[in-house]
Amino acid sequence: MKKVEAIIKPFKLDDVREALAEIGISGMTATEVKGFGRQKGHTELYRGAEYVVDFLPKVKIEVVIPDEQVERCIEAITEAARTGKIGDGKIFVTPVERVVRIRTGEEDEAAI
C-alpha cells in the first residue's frame, strides 16, 4: 500500500476529487494548508503599507491505495490539478506499513 499526498491549488480540489472518483478512488482526506516553493509568495498593499505574503493557501489531499493503483492515481491528480502555471503543486508517494479500521478492526487493504 502507498500513501499519495498531493499539494494543489484550492480551486482544483473538486476537479481532483472527481478525477479520483472516476478511477475508483473514493476515500480521501483534504486539508487546507499554507506553503510556498518556487512560487515564493507575493506582495500586497494593506492600509497603504506593502507587505509580503510568504505562505500561499493550498489544499493537501491524502489517499491510501493499493500499489497497483498508484500510477493511475498520480496521472489523474496531475491531469486534474494542472494549470500550467507556477504553483500547481507536488505529489508525494510513501509506503504505508499498516492500516487499521477502528470500527471493525479490519487491517491493511480490507481497511481502506
Side-chain angles (χ1 to χ4, degrees):
M1 291 177 299
K2 298 281 193 264
K3 179 179 184 181
V4 178
E5 294 179 79
I7 310 295
I8 62 170
K9 291 182 175 184
F11 67 90
K12 286 295 195 171
L13 177 59
D14 286 336
D15 294 342
V16 171
R17 184 186 52 78
E18 289 170 12
L20 291 175
E22 284 178 15
I23 64 167
I25 298 172
S26 57
M28 71 171 60
T29 301
T31 311
E32 291 180 9
V33 296
K34 292 184 178 189
F36 68 92
R38 289 188 185 146
Q39 196 176 5
K40 299 255 184 341
H42 59 279
T43 58
E44 287 188 5
L45 205 58
Y46 179 71
R47 293 189 177 183
E50 193 175 90
Y51 67 100
V52 176
V53 178
D54 286 334
F55 292 96
L56 301 169
K58 301 287 182 182
V59 171
K60 178 166 77 169
I61 296 169
E62 298 171 275
V63 295
V64 176
I65 54 177
D67 291 345
E68 58 271 9
Q69 285 187 308
V70 172
E71 287 308 314
R72 288 190 321 152
C73 177
I74 291 170
E75 289 171 14
I77 294 170
T78 301
E79 289 175 20
R82 180 183 289 134
T83 67
K85 297 183 179 141
I86 193 165
D88 275 352
K90 297 264 190 310
I91 298 173
F92 305 95
V93 180
T94 54
V96 173
E97 290 184 26
R98 188 174 178 196
V99 177
V100 177
R101 177 174 284 136
I102 294 171
R103 179 176 53 87
T104 62
E106 291 173 295
E107 294 199 20
D108 300 326
E109 289 191 19
I112 59 173

